[in-house]
Amino acid sequence: MNSSIRRTAVSDISNATPVAGHVDYIAKPVQTVYGEHVFNESVQRARLPKAVFKALQKTNKAGEPLDPNIADAVAVAMKDWAVEHGATHFTHWFQPMTNQTAEKHDSFITPTAEGGALAEFSGKELVRGEPDASSFPSGGLRATFEARGYTAWDSTSPAFILDNPNGATLVIPTMFLSWTGEALDKKTPLLRSMEALSKHALRVLKLFGNSAAKRVFTTVGSEQEYFLIDRRFYLARPDLVNTGRTLFGAKPPKGQEMEDQYFGSIPERVLACMAEVEYELMRLGVPVKTRHNEVAPSQYEIAPIFETANLATDHQMLVMEVLRKTATHYGLACLLHEKPFAGINGSGKHNNWSMCTDLGENLLEPGDTPHANAQFLVFCAAVVRAVHRHGGLLRLAVSGAGNDHRLGANEAPPAILSVFLGSQLTEIFAQLQKGKAKGGKAAGHITIGVSHLPKLPRDAGDRNRTSPFAFTGNKFEFRAVGSSQNVSGPNTVLNAIVAESLDYVASELEKAVKGGTDINKAIQALLAQMIADFKPILFEGDNYSAAWYEEAEKRGLPNLRTTVDALPLTTAKQTVSLFTKYGVYSERELHSRQEILLENYCKTINIEALTASMIGRRMILPACLKYQADVAGAINGAAAVGAACESQKRLLTDLVASIGALQDALDVLDKATAGQPHGDALAHAKHQRDTLLPAMADLRAKADALEEVVADEYWPLATYQEMLFIR
Ligand code: ADP
Ligand code: MG
């Protein structure tokens, strides 16, 4: 029978013995596990010569350039520590333009003349690596004959050890650059954007009389949503294996309508898996904090405590990797795609973002004093101004074939960017705009009159889950990020656009003060003007409603519905001038990125189309024909004894017609796949969106209709009910 693979899976699952635990927190309490595989500050302090440690701290904490003379000493200490932890190899770990990490391992072994070997690792090897760059997407930045690219040590993200069943590897976070210094990765622009934001945030702080802070970091906490399904079903679904999402599957009788999954009790096998994931992540110093069931059946979430954007990004990549790897230990498959299943919620990654000084002051934390509140309002307004001016870039930063299925599908915020502030802050901004809040000086503090405003919200009382960009008490939450995406992209854009806003604020205030205007008055006037300008981006209502789409259009907010609509913005004039001005991307880098993203989109849809056709022709069609033959045989048999029945004949004719429709849809899809235009990437992407995707959707509709009439035992694909509810 076609369905034997399904039957076996179900029977295996029902007979499976519970997985034994791999983690023992009694032998090793949780606090001793945390960070044990990280070459962190305390290990560095203990193992590095004092002067070397100090020099490294200066680079990591104050952003000073790395002293090349310390590399050898750091390398030796790192290697000794790694070897003690069982490491045999080291790798430069980087984040190419693929949403995944890349690594190439080299052993520490250096043979000696006497036939023995030493474990060696030099400063040179620590600081720079030279992987062959030719097989990574570069978007024309590097011709394949000029394959050289190099990795450069990022000392601000500590090295760590990754275990495997037969050893361990010392992993060194790095940037990945072309020989000419252009970024080929996602970390380099992120670091540049953090630099830009720090510079201009410090200027604003100085105007508020704060000269003690030496650096401003952006902080990020990303909540990761994911699915866990039985691996046997996963392996029996070529669409999941090839594309990460189901391209077929009729709606099951039960979906998420009972609302009994969110925060429900976690199935034991899943909980065991989560616990091992957390154990591994804690060893790697990833501060994982919460776990719970999400809205859709078999959907879950893991969230860490926030860290600086760079570290949070590296750790987020590890979260995805460890989830994928650990799931298999429990016979599960982890699905990180934005939309693995139609008809139920997809997965996102809420990106919580704020700015924090090196002295630990969160600049988006409403203060206790009027002075602190004025500063808070200025930083908050700068962020809102940035989203208003560059909402399209934030949309661009979360684009991708997978996320297109989510954005605007009434489960995730729409592709239209707006900001939710909560009623109290909205009210305060409204007052400031009207200039009602009077200026004044009290005890040498800048008050800009906010002293008689209501106490600012400590904890945003009201919440709006439909907003793509919401203020949540002391941070903003960008909710449109896709579950499989590297968060460095959205954070690079956020940092860059807020840097531009802070630059504007600082310049305006510096100019006013220089011209003799009282700083209080200058701040008040600037806030009023900024608020008036960015008002159209504020929206407190239901972002899912049709009325909002109309309203947003009236307000002139861009609605870049699909990835293909958004991507050309990468090289638009204003984008180039923004990113080059703040040194985040060069124009060449932007062109290469646009090329890479378009290509990635085209390839993704091409793989989906080929997979859909393969499953349709070689699995579904044959199964349907078999069933049709059996039905025909049964009718013939009945006719032979004179018991022919009209309604049975109708079953057969309907079946024949449905199978014919499936074949027609397959032909249309194959023709569309063969007819892909090559050459112009944008034209190609449009073809994928406008021709291939609809052809796939139509094929799916025909196949799903058949799934509802063909006898279950003939059906070759694991059903939605099996994948989502057999745990
Ligand atoms: P929620 O607001 O979603 O109910 P939390 O307040 O617990 O939940 O925070 C959610 C995420 O936001 C967590 O990952 C948390 O670490 C992160 N977060 C909290 N404060 C900040 C901050 N200042 N900067 C960045 N992320 C933060
Ligand atoms: Mg949240």
Side-chain angles (χ1 to χ4, degrees):
M1 256 322 112
N2 261 331
S3 63
S4 64
I5 194 159
R6 290 169 47 207
R7 308 261 160 212
T8 314
V10 174
S11 119
D12 282 357
I13 294 166
S14 63
N15 293 323
T17 44
V19 253
H22 297 183
V23 180
D24 184 355
Y25 282 118
I26 294 173
K28 226 177 351 162
V30 59
Q31 69 277 13
T32 61
V33 167
Y34 189 78
E36 68 172 348
H37 275 179
V38 188
F39 193 69
N40 57 25
E41 198 176 312
S42 71
V43 179
Q44 292 170 20
R45 189 194 303 277
R47 290 181 173 255
L48 292 173
K50 216 170 181 171
V52 173
F53 175 71
K54 269 196 173 154
L56 193 57
Q57 285 285 300
K58 270 192 188 152
T59 300
N60 295 348
K61 296 259 163 80
E64 289 183 18
L66 185 77
D67 175 357
N69 299 317
I70 68 168
D72 276 323
V74 178
V76 169
M78 224 186 237
K79 182 258 303 169
D80 289 345
W81 170 82
V83 169
E84 282 166 33
H85 282 79
T88 54
H89 288 65
F90 70 93
T91 180
H92 277 200
W93 186 69
F94 55 102
Q95 296 166 28
M97 295 294 298
T98 56
N99 279 337
Q100 309 223 339
T101 56
E103 53 193 78
K104 175 191 148 216
H105 300 196
D106 281 295
S107 95
F108 290 128
I109 287 298
T110 313
T112 61
E114 295 86 52
L118 295 171
E120 283 189 330
F121 184 48
S122 69
K124 213 173 120 238
E125 289 171 300
L126 167 63
V127 171
R128 175 185 283 193
E130 217 179 304
D132 181 355
S134 60
S135 299
F136 292 104
S138 83
L141 271 186
R142 176 196 30 65
T144 27
F145 57 83
E146 230 306 355
R148 282 202 295 179
Y150 70 94
T151 48
W153 177 35
D154 167 22
S155 69
T156 62
S157 180
F160 54 89
I161 284 173
L162 273 187
D163 269 340
N164 69 63
N166 295 316
T169 308
L170 169 67
V171 182
I172 300 158
T174 57
M175 292 162 271
F176 182 41
L177 303 140
S178 76
W179 204 247
T180 43
E182 274 132 347
L184 295 172
D185 69 344
K186 302 205 171 190
K187 184 193 268 276
T188 308
L190 177 67
L191 290 171
R192 292 173 183 162
S193 72
M194 289 172 70
E195 197 71 39
L197 183 134
S198 178
K199 181 174 159 193
H200 298 289
L202 287 174
R203 283 172 63 205
V204 174
L205 281 176
K206 216 163 150 203
L207 285 156
F208 278 91
N210 181 349
S211 309
K214 293 279 168 284
R215 223 175 147 69
V216 171
F217 294 96
T218 45
T219 52
V220 168
S222 321
E223 308 161 55
Q224 171 79 48
E225 294 177 341
Y226 60 97
F227 282 83
L228 286 174
I229 65 165
D230 194 280
R231 190 168 144 80
R232 282 159 280 217
F233 295 134
Y234 169 80
L235 293 175
R237 293 280 314 212
D239 45 2
L240 281 180
V241 173
N242 283 350
T243 73
R245 72 182 183 104
T246 53
L247 301 171
F248 298 97
K251 195 172 169 334
K254 181 178 186 238
Q256 64 188 41
E257 64 274 60
M258 298 301 283
E259 298 176 335
D260 53 357
Q261 159 79 5
Y262 191 60
F263 283 9
S265 86
I266 303 171
E268 187 171 88
R269 175 158 61 138
V270 170
L271 187 54
C273 174
M274 285 177 171
E276 187 178 328
V277 166
E278 288 160 0
Y279 175 77
E280 287 306 326
L281 288 171
M282 279 194 269
R283 295 173 103 182
L284 295 169
V286 182
V288 281
K289 183 78 176 165
T290 50
R291 58 187 181 208
H292 62 80
N293 279 4
E294 257 302 329
V295 170
S298 290
Q299 190 187 30
Y300 311 95
E301 178 180 300
I302 179 170
I305 296 169
F306 67 93
E307 303 175 277
T308 63
N310 182 36
L311 203 53
T313 301
D314 286 358
H315 283 167
Q316 223 292 302
M317 298 309 286
L318 284 175
V319 167
M320 292 197 282
E321 205 167 307
V322 171
L323 271 171
R324 263 193 296 253
K325 212 156 61 180
T326 310
T328 61
H329 301 173
Y330 295 85
L332 297 166
C334 175
L335 310 179
L336 292 170
H337 192 282
E338 283 77 12
K339 195 72 182 174
F341 302 100
I344 55 171
N345 277 17
S347 302
K349 195 136 57 188
H350 289 179
N351 189 80
N352 296 273
W353 181 96
S354 187
M355 298 166 274
C356 186
T357 70
D358 54 346
L359 305 174
E361 183 185 2
N362 178 357
L363 299 175
L364 292 177
E365 177 85 52
D368 287 325
T369 64
H371 173 80
N373 275 339
Q375 183 184 301
F376 158 74
L377 289 169
V378 165
F379 275 97
C380 188
V383 177
V384 181
R385 175 184 178 275
V387 179
H388 178 229
R389 292 171 66 85
H390 304 291
L393 288 181
L394 282 173
R395 163 66 183 97
L396 170 64
V398 298
S399 63
N403 216 15
D404 277 1
H405 297 288
R406 247 182 100 238
L407 298 181
N410 279 6
E411 59 176 79
I416 307 164
L417 259 290
S418 65
V419 177
F420 172 85
L421 287 177
S423 52
Q424 215 172 347
L425 213 45
T426 304
E427 170 70 11
I428 288 169
F429 273 156
Q431 289 192 32
L432 283 168
Q433 188 201 340
K434 283 188 222 131
K436 256 199 199 157
K438 289 255 151 46
K441 250 191 178 136
H445 280 318
I446 299 164
T447 65
I448 64 159
V450 285
S451 50
H452 56 264
L453 291 174
K455 204 165 154 31
L456 293 180
R458 273 274 162 200
D459 186 25
D462 43 356
R463 297 224 148 197
N464 179 337
R465 287 282 164 204
T466 68
S467 175
F469 202 91
F471 183 69
T472 49
N474 58 6
K475 61 187 188 286
F476 279 97
E477 184 169 348
F478 183 26
R479 303 205 179 108
V481 184
S483 52
S484 73
Q485 294 174 333
N486 183 328
V487 295
S488 71
N491 286 303
T492 299
V493 168
L494 252 173
N495 294 345
I497 65 179
V498 175
E500 191 264 345
S501 251
L502 292 170
D503 181 11
Y504 169 78
V505 167
S507 304
E508 289 297 305
L509 293 179
E510 283 161 2
K511 205 163 59 193
V513 170
K514 220 171 158 195
T517 311
D518 171 64
I519 178 85
N520 290 325
K521 292 218 175 85
I523 290 171
Q524 204 164 345
L526 182 62
L527 274 178
Q529 172 241 306
M530 281 166 69
I531 294 165
D533 286 350
F534 67 51
K535 223 168 160 190
I537 198 78
L538 299 179
F539 183 64
E540 305 282 303
D542 179 3
N543 292 68
Y544 296 172
S545 70
W548 168 236
Y549 284 75
E550 277 172 39
E551 168 70 20
E553 198 178 336
K554 271 193 221 137
R555 294 189 190 186
L557 300 178
N559 181 6
L560 300 167
R561 236 175 24 80
T562 67
T563 293
V564 185
D565 299 312
L567 284 181
L569 196 57
T570 318
T571 51
K573 216 170 125 214
Q574 69 274 23
T575 311
V576 173
S577 82
L578 172 86
F579 283 125
T580 53
K581 180 166 180 198
Y582 295 95
V584 175
Y585 292 109
S586 70
E587 183 164 5
R588 257 165 68 80
E589 286 170 348
L590 286 168
H591 278 276
S592 94
R593 262 150 226 258
Q594 176 166 317
E595 206 59 29
I596 290 169
L597 294 168
L598 279 170
E599 239 177 55
N600 180 288
Y601 179 86
C602 294
K603 286 177 185 166
T604 302
I605 311 266
N606 181 52
I607 292 168
E608 289 183 350
L610 292 173
T611 305
S613 173
M614 174 186 90
I615 293 174
R617 279 200 196 283
R618 292 165 52 195
M619 294 174 78
I620 296 176
L621 183 59
C624 293
L625 291 175
K626 246 187 214 158
Y627 179 56
Q628 177 191 295
D630 283 0
V631 171
I635 294 170
N636 260 340
V641 296
C645 158
E646 278 316 307
S647 52
Q648 286 184 11
K649 277 194 199 155
R650 202 174 67 241
L651 172 65
L652 185 61
T653 37
D654 287 353
L655 198 57
V656 170
S658 299
I659 295 173
L662 178 81
Q663 276 183 294
D664 291 346
L666 276 165
D667 292 345
V668 171
L669 176 62
D670 287 350
K671 202 163 153 239
T673 307
Q676 290 176 69
H678 293 284
D680 177 359
L682 185 60
H684 190 177
K686 282 184 178 157
H687 175 84
Q688 312 298 74
R689 180 193 62 186
D690 300 334
T691 312
L692 275 190
L693 280 178
M696 280 163 60
D698 185 51
L699 172 64
R700 178 184 184 142
K702 303 294 187 306
D704 290 359
L706 277 160
E707 184 182 335
E708 284 171 347
V709 295
V710 169
D712 182 69
E713 62 178 314
Y714 294 75
W715 201 254
L717 293 171
T719 64
Y720 267 38
Q721 183 234 299
E722 287 161 342
M723 290 186 284
L724 294 171
F725 291 99
I726 297 183
R727 296 161 183 154

